[in-house]
Amino acid sequence: MPKQSLRAAAESFLTKIERKSKGANTQHTHRSYRKAIQDFFAVVEHRAKIQAAKTPAAEVEPDWIVWYIESLQDKGVSPATEQVRLAAVRGFYKHLSLIVSDINLTRLDALVGDYKRPLPHNEVLTTDEDVEKVLQWAWDCLHKPFRSRWEKLRAYRNRAFLVLLTDTGLRVSEACRLRLSHLTQVSPRNLQFVLKIKGGREAVIRLSKNSWNAIRAYHRVRADLDTKSGLKPEYLPVFAQHSRLADLNAKRKRKTALLRPWTEGGARQMLEQANKDVFGEDYRLPDPDASDEAKRRKKVLRGRVTPHGLRRYFVRRIYNRHHDLRKAQLLARHRNMVTTQRYIGTTDIELE
């Protein structure tokens, strides 16, 4: 095998990552991995007095990752960010092990385990009662007088969206990508479908009767729009934007009514409005994930019921009902049980 520099090996590693990542966050993953590798090389070049573009990959040292961990901690990055950056650098070492046979990955893991910081068990600010109040808000919106057809469509869509997230644990990005073609095989006897989720994996999503009925009620209200759009099921979004301005633009251009997929930004704005309506304008609570330095500069806040708080609510409900951590992990579609443990706030002592 021809000699390869560290920089060239890094480019081949990043190309492989880009090729293997097929989820919605492909570009974000590739960008974060590239930044981690660039920062790693900057630290190594400064401390080892080498040039990554000229140094052969065979000269890589496991101890370099300790320098990188120390630099991350000196910068004050959060433990979660540190873990993401280390995943990228460790992946690079694993890629190098295919080129350099004497790389000791066991020693590398031991060094990372000794120097990295553990993820904190942050206090969960979004309580189950808070989420249930937001769900009640969505239900109450259906029973208020509607000032326009768009307001009615939005009310039915918002309730179906919130119920789907709390009953299935889907992420906001995954729910916004849903098309009617995903639901063609769903029936009262078969409340499940297959969806490509975070990481490019395909997973079986199990609907509840409640979420299925909420989606059906929403689509009965917008049935005429689906017909007028002339779109095939693979292009029709399960959750659409409903804007009077969009309809006016379509009429001006002499086109059929537009059914544009709902965006993550729109879903977050809806949840922000729900928080304001339920908890008042001063609904925000301190963010435990913010660094001490950020808290000193300004008051860092986080929404009372966040999009990810709905997913945590789903996982906690599953665990509280069955007290089965493995079942909660499978239904949440987590690869690592430690992630599920953080979601439900279970400590090691409780597990023992």
Side-chain angles (χ1 to χ4, degrees):
M1 183 177 293
K3 289 185 178 180
Q4 196 175 32
S5 69
L6 286 169
R7 184 76 66 180
E11 288 300 324
S12 64
F13 167 66
L14 292 169
T15 301
K16 183 173 70 174
I17 291 297
E18 187 175 22
R19 186 175 64 250
K20 290 174 65 177
S21 302
K22 298 179 181 179
N25 298 321
T26 300
Q27 291 184 351
H28 175 73
T29 301
H30 186 261
R31 190 163 53 246
S32 63
Y33 268 54
R34 179 172 289 278
K35 176 171 175 52
I37 298 299
Q38 288 175 345
D39 290 348
F40 172 70
F41 281 160
V43 171
V44 170
E45 287 178 337
H46 174 71
R47 296 193 59 171
K49 308 300 181 184
I50 62 170
Q51 292 184 12
K54 297 181 179 179
T55 303
E59 295 184 14
V60 66
E61 294 288 344
D63 291 354
W64 289 353
I65 201 167
V66 176
W67 298 348
Y68 183 55
I69 295 173
E70 291 173 346
S71 73
L72 290 175
Q73 294 174 0
D74 289 342
K75 290 178 182 177
V77 303
S78 68
T81 302
E82 179 182 309
Q83 190 174 64
V84 172
R85 302 278 176 84
L86 287 177
V89 175
R90 193 199 175 282
F92 174 55
Y93 269 94
K94 187 176 180 180
H95 174 75
L96 284 178
S97 68
L98 302 176
I99 305 170
V100 185
S101 58
D102 58 348
I103 289 183
N104 191 338
L105 293 178
T106 303
R107 172 175 167 74
L108 184 77
D109 288 340
L111 289 171
V112 171
D114 283 345
Y115 284 87
K116 76 172 183 178
R117 292 170 295 171
L119 288 172
H121 289 277
N122 292 323
E123 178 187 359
V124 179
L125 297 181
T126 303
T127 65
D128 291 354
E129 291 76 15
D130 289 341
V131 175
E132 285 158 9
K133 286 178 183 178
V134 169
L135 290 173
Q136 185 62 44
W137 166 85
W139 174 256
D140 292 341
C141 287
L142 300 183
H143 299 86
K144 294 178 180 179
F146 298 116
R147 292 171 292 183
S148 66
R149 60 178 295 203
W150 299 281
E151 189 174 59
K152 181 177 181 180
L153 285 165
R154 288 195 294 267
Y156 276 85
R157 177 203 61 195
N158 294 348
R159 179 174 181 269
F161 191 83
L162 290 172
V163 171
L164 179 69
L165 263 59
T166 54
D167 280 12
T168 64
L170 279 175
R171 299 171 179 86
V172 170
S173 59
E174 294 164 352
C176 289
R177 292 203 311 274
L178 282 175
R179 298 293 180 268
L180 288 188
S181 56
H182 288 114
L183 307 181
T184 52
Q185 302 300 320
V186 177
S187 68
R189 291 188 176 184
N190 179 40
L191 292 173
Q192 60 184 31
F193 61 94
V194 177
L195 178 68
K196 188 168 287 187
I197 63 171
K198 181 179 178 181
R201 295 177 294 140
E202 287 194 341
V204 175
I205 310 299
R206 294 171 174 83
L207 295 173
S208 65
K209 290 183 180 179
N210 192 30
S211 59
W212 177 234
N213 289 335
I215 291 173
R216 290 179 65 194
Y218 163 50
H219 279 268
R220 281 196 294 267
V221 172
R222 73 168 229 202
D224 61 324
L225 289 179
D226 289 350
T227 303
K228 290 178 182 178
S229 70
L231 297 174
K232 296 180 180 179
E234 55 264 32
Y235 299 112
L236 273 173
V238 172
F239 299 102
Q241 301 179 41
H242 296 297
S243 164
R244 180 175 179 272
L245 180 61
D247 281 4
L248 291 175
N249 289 337
K251 288 179 181 179
R252 190 176 70 249
K253 296 177 181 178
R254 297 180 180 179
K255 292 184 178 181
T256 56
L258 295 176
L259 270 177
R260 296 176 297 174
W262 207 19
T263 63
E264 291 184 54
R268 294 177 188 278
Q269 288 178 2
M270 176 272 293
L271 196 53
E272 183 176 355
Q273 186 60 50
N275 276 295
K276 290 180 180 179
D277 291 347
V278 173
F279 306 111
E281 291 291 332
D282 189 23
Y283 71 90
R284 293 185 179 273
L285 295 172
D287 187 352
D289 295 329
S291 66
D292 292 337
E293 183 181 350
K295 289 177 181 176
R296 284 195 298 270
R297 289 200 307 269
K298 60 182 180 179
K299 191 176 181 181
V300 181
L301 300 173
R302 185 173 72 181
R304 184 155 183 159
V305 176
T306 63
H308 213 63
L310 301 175
R311 180 165 162 79
R312 290 175 179 270
Y313 169 80
F314 164 75
V315 178
R316 287 200 303 271
R317 269 204 314 165
I318 294 296
Y319 180 76
N320 291 337
R321 180 175 299 177
H322 302 283
H323 296 285
D324 188 333
L325 192 61
R326 175 61 176 166
K327 184 177 290 186
Q329 178 197 359
L330 293 174
L331 289 173
R333 300 169 289 279
H334 285 149
R335 285 181 170 176
N336 194 329
M337 194 175 289
V338 175
T339 306
T340 311
Q341 181 183 340
R342 286 206 314 274
Y343 271 46
I344 61 181
T346 305
T347 66
D348 291 330
I349 295 175
E350 289 174 329
L351 290 178
E352 289 170 5

